[in-house]
Amino acid sequence: MEGSESEAIFESLNLNPQLFINETLNTVDDLVHDAFHFFRQQASTLLNTHATDRSEDLTKGIDTVRSMVQSVLDKRLAMWEKYCLRHCFALPQGFSLPKADEPNGDVLMCEEPLCDTDLEAQLESLRNKLTAVGRESAVLEREFQSLEELCASSNRTAGIVNEALQLYETNSAHDFFQEMVRTASELRTRMLKLKMGKSLGTEQTKAEMFYNPNRDLSKIDSKGASTEKLEELQQFLAEMKKL
């Protein structure tokens, strides 16, 4: 970079890139020195090597580690220095500073009239559109809140209806079970009555067969039971099937 156009331009601005790089390298060296000095003190305290033969061995070991670290660090910093000089502080070819008497383009732009009618009209149109969008956004926000409230109300109504249906189904099942119990009880009662009636009818039929000389033998089966009672029993069973 020495003797180049970039160096001349930086010097004209009272800037020295190489001085900045050197100060950075010196700062890094100071940090490394302080770090290893602190490391030596802590190691000596922890290992209790003050005024002993091990103190010299510890110093040699720390110096060896520092030498290894310093070697790698110096290579890295040398690469960093080259990169800064070639890229960070290198100006494009043909670059030149404007002279003091030359007008600046930015100044010319600033001197142009600021009140452009077309530009103001466009800005006003954009402001109006932004205001309209803000109002529409507020309306949409209110509608959205109304829909949320309606949805919540609908969900509550659906929950109430579901609870009512569950309660109705539960009560219907209970009523059906009670109806079955009543039907079974009624069936048991009728069967008992039928059994008792059949027993009495059989005894009465046998008596009529024995004492009635004008009895109709066609209405009496082989066991002495009346066919009329059998027909009544069949009719009762048919009615029970309809239940």
Side-chain angles (χ1 to χ4, degrees):
M1 183 177 176
E2 295 181 357
S4 62
E5 295 181 359
S6 298
E7 184 180 4
I9 293 174
F10 280 117
E11 288 180 355
S12 65
L13 298 174
N14 294 324
L15 298 175
N16 191 340
Q18 188 63 52
L19 180 61
F20 166 76
I21 293 174
N22 293 338
E23 290 180 354
T24 303
L25 296 177
N26 293 333
T27 302
V28 173
D29 289 338
D30 293 340
L31 291 174
V32 172
H33 175 75
D34 294 340
F36 276 96
H37 179 69
F38 177 78
F39 176 68
R40 181 182 288 105
Q41 290 180 345
Q42 292 296 318
S44 178
T45 301
L46 293 174
L47 298 176
N48 195 15
T49 59
H50 294 290
T52 61
D53 296 337
R54 293 189 301 171
S55 177
E56 185 178 355
D57 295 336
L58 178 62
T59 301
K60 291 181 180 179
I62 293 175
D63 291 340
T64 302
V65 174
R66 178 175 180 176
S67 177
M68 296 173 60
V69 173
Q70 191 70 46
S71 176
V72 176
L73 185 61
D74 289 342
K75 292 180 181 179
R76 297 284 184 177
L77 291 176
M79 295 173 61
W80 173 78
E81 181 179 1
K82 290 180 180 179
Y83 179 83
C84 289
L85 294 175
R86 293 179 181 178
H87 300 282
C88 298
F89 298 108
L91 299 177
Q93 187 176 2
F95 177 83
S96 61
L97 293 175
K99 297 180 180 180
D101 55 350
E102 290 182 357
N104 194 345
D106 295 336
V107 175
L108 292 177
M109 292 180 62
C110 294
E111 292 177 354
E112 293 180 356
L114 297 178
C115 297
D116 191 340
T117 306
D118 295 337
L119 181 59
E120 286 295 331
Q122 292 178 4
L123 290 175
E124 186 64 24
S125 177
L126 291 176
R127 293 191 191 98
N128 295 334
K129 290 181 180 179
L130 182 61
T131 303
V133 170
R135 288 195 295 266
E136 292 179 359
S137 177
V139 173
L140 291 176
E141 181 67 22
R142 289 193 296 270
E143 292 180 356
F144 180 73
Q145 292 178 357
S146 299
L147 289 175
E148 285 185 340
E149 294 176 357
L150 181 61
C151 182
S153 177
S154 178
N155 291 335
R156 289 193 296 269
T157 304
I160 294 173
V161 171
N162 290 332
E163 292 179 359
L165 288 175
Q166 292 177 359
L167 182 61
Y168 173 76
E169 292 176 356
T170 303
N171 293 335
S172 298
H174 179 71
D175 294 341
F176 180 72
F177 179 75
Q178 294 295 331
E179 184 66 23
M180 289 180 62
V181 172
R182 288 194 297 269
T183 303
S185 178
E186 184 178 353
L187 177 61
R188 187 181 301 107
T189 303
R190 289 188 180 184
M191 291 296 291
L192 291 174
K193 290 181 179 180
L194 180 61
K195 185 176 180 181
M196 294 175 62
K198 181 179 179 181
S199 177
L200 294 175
T202 302
E203 295 296 332
Q204 184 178 0
T205 301
K206 289 181 179 180
E208 290 178 354
M209 288 174 58
F210 184 78
Y211 294 105
N212 188 7
N214 298 322
R215 59 185 178 275
D216 188 0
L217 298 177
S218 62
K219 295 183 179 181
I220 302 174
D221 58 6
S222 59
K223 296 181 181 180
S226 175
T227 56
E228 293 179 354
K229 295 295 183 179
L230 292 176
E231 291 176 356
E232 292 179 359
L233 178 60
Q234 291 176 355
Q235 183 179 0
F236 173 74
L237 292 176
E239 291 179 357
M240 292 303 299
K241 290 180 179 180
K242 294 179 181 180
L243 294 177

